Amino acid sequence: MNKIIILCAFFACTMSSAILACPNLSANYARCVSSSGDNSNSENIVVSQKRENDMVIYSIKSKDIQSGEEETKVMIADGKTRKIEEKDPETGLAYTQYETYTCMDQSIVGKVNLIIDNELLLDVTITTKKIGKRMISEIKGKSMNTIIDDTIICE
């Protein structure tokens, strides 16, 4: 019986420390700039977050500079892989995306894979943290056999 109590306490502490490892990214950011010189094409970025059922849920709202279209992205930092199946509205191509988000050392780490026609087109790891008033995302991986190594800074 004592072993069960100790295991339950360990699990509760582990989950609590994982939640505490999540960064507070909540803020309004005017614009994001890429280290590669490319524009992130987003402005008026609003990041909010909440804690719910032993996980941290991030909501990122942004506006595309060119189209004016608003988008909301949700990241659930609980270490579970989620499968998203959608169709590209412009091309009609069906795709599957796998996303896993976890928190470590005041960063949120995302692993994202994009598959179209059974071919892995995107395999990246995104590490996001906040330093001062800046949100910094480091993106590393491959896109269609091209190496990605980029940093995006939102202020």
Side-chain angles (χ1 to χ4, degrees):
M1 185 66 163
N2 284 341
K3 286 183 181 180
I4 293 173
I5 293 170
I6 291 170
L7 285 174
C8 288
F10 175 76
F11 180 73
C13 288
T14 302
M15 290 306 293
S16 295
S17 64
I19 288 174
L20 293 174
C22 290
N24 181 1
L25 301 176
S26 295
N28 295 336
Y29 304 96
R31 193 172 183 101
C32 298
V33 178
S34 168
S35 66
S36 65
D38 293 336
N39 200 349
S40 76
N41 294 326
S42 294
E43 63 181 1
N44 300 327
I45 299 100
V46 178
V47 179
S48 60
Q49 68 190 72
K50 64 182 177 179
R51 291 184 179 175
E52 188 177 289
N53 299 328
D54 292 327
M55 61 187 158
V56 177
I57 302 169
Y58 293 90
S59 177
I60 303 167
K61 295 180 183 180
S62 62
K63 183 177 178 182
D64 185 276
I65 292 172
Q66 294 172 347
S67 70
E69 185 177 319
E70 293 186 5
E71 178 184 15
T72 300
K73 170 74 178 152
V74 175
M75 300 183 303
I76 302 172
D78 63 357
K80 295 179 182 175
T81 300
R82 288 176 173 72
K83 180 179 180 180
I84 302 162
E85 295 180 303
E86 293 185 0
K87 273 192 178 184
D88 184 304
E90 294 175 12
T91 64
L93 277 174
Y95 65 88
T96 303
Q97 186 164 309
Y98 294 91
E99 299 179 352
T100 307
Y101 296 99
T102 53
C103 292
M104 290 184 234
D105 302 323
Q106 290 300 304
S107 296
I108 181 169
V109 179
K111 176 77 174 147
V112 179
N113 292 321
L114 177 67
I115 299 168
I116 297 177
D117 290 335
N118 294 320
E119 187 175 341
L120 181 63
L121 295 182
L122 180 70
D123 180 12
V124 294
T125 299
I126 305 162
T127 303
T128 303
K129 60 188 168 191
K130 192 168 183 180
I131 298 177
K133 294 185 178 192
R134 296 172 150 188
M135 180 172 67
I136 300 170
S137 297
E138 295 176 350
I139 305 162
K140 298 186 182 298
K142 281 188 176 183
S143 174
M144 298 188 299
N145 294 322
T146 301
I147 299 291
I148 298 172
D149 187 0
D150 198 6
T151 301
I152 296 175
I153 299 173
C154 300
E155 298 184 274

